[in-house]
Amino acid sequence: MRVYLHKDFHGALSCGFQYLKDQYGMDALKSYWKQVARNCYFGLSRALREEGLLALEEHWRRIFGIEGADFELSYQGETLVLEVKRCPAISHMKDNGYPIAEDFCEHTRVINEEVCHRAGYKASCSYNQEAGSCVQRFWKQEE
């Protein structure tokens, strides 16, 4: 089975992010990312709420597997940890000379937080955009 993968999508997103920030400001860009999380990742939020962290683990394995990312998934207690050693988006944009929005990686943090919030979970993301690496953590929100 052939999987369709159009990595240039990352470059288009990056340009769009920079445009939105330049024209409307960072608050508008963050609002856009939250809207993306609510609309595009509705199913992931639902799966996380119903199935727990396994839903996120399966999501990341599928997405990063398709993209050929260098990543590791593990659990530290009740926390799912995703370590992205070589981000496929950043790598593709660098390899092809695309401009990278100054806050490109911030979308990961904002979208993860919104997806998780809607499912009763929390998320954090520490990233090094220049290196194209990050560590994302996901855990159940305390009641």
Side-chain angles (χ1 to χ4, degrees):
M1 178 174 140
R2 184 171 184 265
V3 176
Y4 176 74
L5 177 61
H6 186 53
K7 287 189 177 186
D8 290 338
F9 176 73
H10 298 302
L13 277 178
S14 180
C15 289
F17 293 169
Q18 192 65 52
Y19 175 83
L20 286 173
K21 181 182 178 189
D22 291 348
Q23 295 299 311
Y24 303 103
M26 192 64 187
D27 288 343
L29 181 55
K30 286 182 180 180
S31 178
Y32 168 74
W33 289 332
K34 288 179 181 184
Q35 184 178 8
V36 167
R38 288 189 300 271
N39 295 321
C40 297
Y41 294 103
F42 172 82
L44 182 58
S45 286
R46 184 181 65 232
L48 177 57
R49 185 174 51 255
E50 293 172 0
E51 302 167 27
L53 292 173
L54 181 60
L56 275 181
E57 180 182 350
E58 290 173 350
H59 169 77
W60 292 125
R61 285 193 193 285
R62 182 175 47 80
I63 294 300
F64 282 129
I66 290 169
E67 294 225 13
D70 183 5
F71 73 102
E72 288 184 10
L73 276 163
S74 63
Y75 284 89
Q76 293 176 351
E78 299 293 314
T79 300
L80 175 62
V81 179
L82 168 61
E83 182 181 357
V84 181
K85 298 175 182 182
R86 185 173 184 270
C87 173
I90 296 291
S91 299
H92 181 75
M93 289 187 290
K94 281 185 171 186
D95 291 348
N96 291 281
Y98 288 112
I100 300 173
E102 54 197 29
D103 297 296
F104 183 82
C105 292
E106 183 66 5
H107 85 277
T108 299
R109 185 188 65 75
V110 173
I111 289 174
N112 282 352
E113 286 178 357
E114 185 70 16
V115 166
C116 288
H117 172 74
R118 299 177 67 74
Y121 283 77
K122 294 274 196 179
S124 70
C125 181
S126 58
Y127 56 83
N128 180 330
Q129 182 165 303
E130 182 58 34
S133 62
C134 68
V135 176
Q136 302 174 42
R137 290 182 165 75
F138 308 91
W139 65 95
K140 180 87 170 134
Q141 184 172 317
E142 294 195 22
E143 313 253 340

